[in-house]
């Protein structure tokens, strides 16, 4: 199991604190997105975290964020900035075997 935490401050945005936990098969088992921002409706962020669980690719992560963006508004970051931060973290942990670091 791999755990990662990042504090991201997108250009012109607020602080995003992302905690990502991946199982041995590189599937998202837990994710937490917090920080100095607002999402409306507030339950959309929890729904996104639920949708990300089980993702095993960057395309799945991007799709979950894109679907959330269709029905929610973010103040303090853009949905594409959040997707980029999540996919970077995922790639760092589960990218090509040659770039993988031991857990």
């Amino acid at each position: 199991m791999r755990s990662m935490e990042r504090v991201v401050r997108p250009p012109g945005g607020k602080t995003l604190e992302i905690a990502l936990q991946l199982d041995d098969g590189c599937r998202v088992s837990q994710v937490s997105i917090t920080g100095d921002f607002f999402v409306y409706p507030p339950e959309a962020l929890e729904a996104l975290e639920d949708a990300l669980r089980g993702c095993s690719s960057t395309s799945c992560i991007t799709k979950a964020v894109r679907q959330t963006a269709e029905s929610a508004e973010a103040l303090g970051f853009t949905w594409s900035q959040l997707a980029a931060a999540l996919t970077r973290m995922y790639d760092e942990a589960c990218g090509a075997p040659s770039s993988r670091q031991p857990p």
Side-chain angles (χ1 to χ4, degrees):
M1 188 163 288
R2 299 175 180 103
S3 293
M4 306 177 77
E5 293 184 18
R6 294 285 185 276
V7 175
V8 180
R9 181 147 187 153
K14 299 291 185 177
T15 301
L16 292 168
E17 298 172 14
I18 304 170
L20 187 63
Q21 195 170 63
L22 304 159
D23 67 16
D24 292 334
C26 277
R27 284 182 302 274
V28 176
S29 58
Q30 202 62 268
V31 63
S32 172
I33 304 164
T34 59
D36 184 25
F37 59 83
F38 295 98
V39 172
Y40 182 80
E43 58 272 8
L45 192 57
E46 186 177 330
L48 172 59
E49 292 171 346
D50 289 342
L52 290 169
R53 285 187 198 96
C55 278
S56 60
S57 68
T58 56
S59 62
C60 177
I61 291 168
T62 301
K63 181 180 176 183
V65 173
R66 189 177 310 125
Q67 287 177 334
T68 300
E70 291 174 3
S71 61
E73 184 177 351
L75 301 171
F77 67 90
T78 66
W79 293 108
S80 61
Q81 289 169 330
L82 177 59
L86 287 164
T87 56
R88 270 193 310 270
M89 289 174 72
Y90 183 87
D91 277 343
E92 184 180 319
C94 297
S98 62
S99 66
R100 280 193 192 167
Q101 296 179 9

